[in-house]
Amino acid sequence: MLADEFTQQTLLIRTALDSPGPDQHDRVCRLNVDLQSVVTRIRELPGLSHFLLPPSFSDLQQAAREGPVIIVNASEYGCDALVVLVDRNPVHIPLTITKEGIRDLSSELGTLTVRAKSMDVTRDLAIILRELWDEVVSPIVNFLQTVHPFQSRIWWCPTAEFSLLPLHAAGPYRKGQQNLANIYISSYTPTLTALIRARRHDLPHSAPNEKHFVGIGQAKAEGENELVSVGAELATIEQCVDGLATFTHIEGEESCIARITEELRKNEWVHFACHGIPNRKQPFESAFALHDGRFTIERIIRCQLENAQFAYLSACHTTVGDEDSPDEVMHLASAMQFAGFRSVIGTMWAVDDGETNKITSVFYNNMKDESGRLDHTRAALALNKTMKKLVDIPFDQRILYIHLGA
């Protein structure tokens, strides 16, 4: 079989590369020719014409079929945005801000989100979001308004230091002027291919109108502060989806790693209410704190779920990645995507446990479509509507949630 031939040839090349000698170069060249012959035959098979080839731009362009994808980049040479559109060439938008300026904004934001635990930082946050609007988001929106309908969806694909900033919350924050959330409905994606994959057709293993939903709570994780609202949060969700989904409530001693791994394979929807533990030095060790230990990114990615649809991560810092390589986008929310979830709600900094129940109640009511059924493709709109309605919760808690995926 061709698969066996391909495996054998790659092993021979690896062996040759690990065996220095005067004829090593010739041996590797001959083996590579044989490997290319096998690859050519594989590409002649139905559906494998692009085997081992990078995707073409026309393939990647499909990421923008439901709305523009804005790639924002910061480097020592300058900052810019590339707007990917489905029906035309990408549009380049130069930005006036520098990489150092982005780092300064990120540092200021980090300081404020810590201070927000003990004091009102609304005014200072608005200053940062206003600068983000003036120097980054406003020039992009000015272009988008010439090609994309008002209050439709857009996707942010931030790289480097931009990945630490709440682009979705940018705005002038001045009386009589609209912020981004009033103009477009923002989502995020770590890559173009991740967004394309998130839109793949479902592979239903249940009846079309039947959803399987698991709520996972852990209020008293070892070494962590107790979360007082976990039980009430899961109970509220169960009430919201009553009659729309088969709901499984797992909390306390039942929320162990083996059980959660099993439940993720059986349920299309999941809600985590627990501590999120970021590890910025070793991102694959970032984890949810469960009863018997940490459910790490490494374990999550191994799940390889077939029909996962929606995940809500009501935990701290679930979109915080590598400290030294922020554009590698490896964090808890992206891990849920890589495991198979098409749509994910994550958090950019610490969650106030006292506000989560109020937020989730409104959010899940907004997840119902016109016929009253739960629809995972409504997540971005539901989050947008929820945060506009809940004006009585602290400002930092209204802007820390983000939507990733379809």
Side-chain angles (χ1 to χ4, degrees), residues 48-346:
L48 292 174
S49 60
H50 285 78
F51 180 70
L52 290 185
L53 291 175
S56 66
F57 176 70
S58 60
D59 292 333
L60 293 175
Q61 206 169 13
Q62 293 307 304
R65 75 168 191 249
E66 294 180 18
V69 181
I70 305 106
I71 303 170
V72 282
N73 179 62
S75 78
E76 58 185 295
Y77 305 106
C79 298
D80 49 22
L82 193 66
V83 183
V84 180
L85 302 157
V86 72
D87 57 353
R88 67 193 77 184
N89 289 331
V91 175
H92 174 255
I93 301 174
L95 304 174
T96 57
I97 198 167
T98 64
K99 186 174 183 177
E100 290 71 24
I102 292 296
R103 283 178 176 165
D104 289 344
L105 283 179
S106 178
S107 177
E108 291 172 25
L109 179 68
T111 299
L112 285 179
T113 56
V114 172
R115 284 171 49 200
K117 298 174 184 178
S118 58
M119 61 184 296
D120 184 1
V121 296
T122 299
R123 182 184 180 89
D124 292 331
L125 274 177
I127 292 172
I128 290 177
L129 295 174
R130 187 178 301 131
E131 185 172 351
L132 191 59
W133 170 262
D134 290 340
E135 298 203 52
V136 179
V137 175
S138 179
I140 298 168
V141 169
N142 288 341
F143 165 73
L144 289 176
Q145 288 180 313
T146 67
V147 297
H148 196 51
F150 180 67
Q151 291 189 334
S152 55
R153 294 187 65 185
I154 62 174
W155 277 262
W156 295 99
C157 184
T159 69
E161 282 75 7
F162 276 113
S163 63
L164 303 174
L165 293 172
L167 297 165
H168 65 285
Y173 291 91
R174 301 180 183 100
K175 188 175 180 180
Q177 298 185 39
Q178 291 183 316
N179 300 320
L180 177 61
N182 301 111
I183 303 171
Y184 290 117
I185 298 165
S186 290
S187 294
Y188 290 79
T189 183
T191 65
L192 296 177
T193 52
L195 182 54
I196 293 169
R197 188 168 57 246
R199 294 194 183 119
R200 71 194 186 281
H201 294 298
D202 290 348
L203 303 172
H205 61 257
S206 56
N209 295 332
E210 184 181 4
K211 291 275 189 295
H212 295 92
F213 194 144
V214 60
I216 300 164
Q218 184 55 53
K220 299 180 180 180
E222 184 177 354
E224 303 295 336
N225 296 329
E226 182 177 356
L227 300 173
V228 297
S229 299
V230 167
E233 184 176 341
L234 295 185
T236 296
I237 297 166
E238 185 170 8
Q239 185 177 10
C240 285
V241 304
D242 183 42
L244 302 175
T246 302
F247 190 84
T248 302
H249 183 137
I250 301 175
E251 194 178 349
E253 293 183 2
E254 293 184 343
S255 66
C256 54
I257 294 170
R259 173 76 187 279
I260 299 314
T261 301
E262 178 187 353
E263 292 294 338
L264 289 181
R265 294 193 175 107
K266 296 192 312 190
N267 291 270
E268 298 94 356
W269 285 43
V270 62
H271 183 104
F272 278 92
C274 59
H275 279 288
I277 314 294
N279 188 326
R280 299 201 64 188
K281 295 296 184 183
Q282 296 179 297
F284 278 89
E285 294 302 311
S286 295
F288 297 110
L290 301 182
H291 174 69
D292 61 344
R294 295 188 173 186
F295 190 37
T296 63
I297 283 179
E298 185 177 7
R299 290 177 182 268
I300 293 168
I301 291 175
R302 287 179 183 172
C303 290
Q304 292 300 304
L305 310 172
E306 290 187 359
N307 196 33
Q309 292 182 355
F310 176 70
Y312 188 121
L313 312 182
S314 185
C316 298
H317 305 290
T318 55
T319 63
V320 175
D322 193 305
E323 185 174 25
D324 297 321
S325 304
D327 55 344
E328 289 187 3
V329 293
M330 183 48 62
H331 45 63
L332 287 166
S334 62
M336 298 298 282
Q337 278 195 291
F338 293 139
F341 285 94
R342 292 133 171 88
S343 181
V344 180
I345 298 294

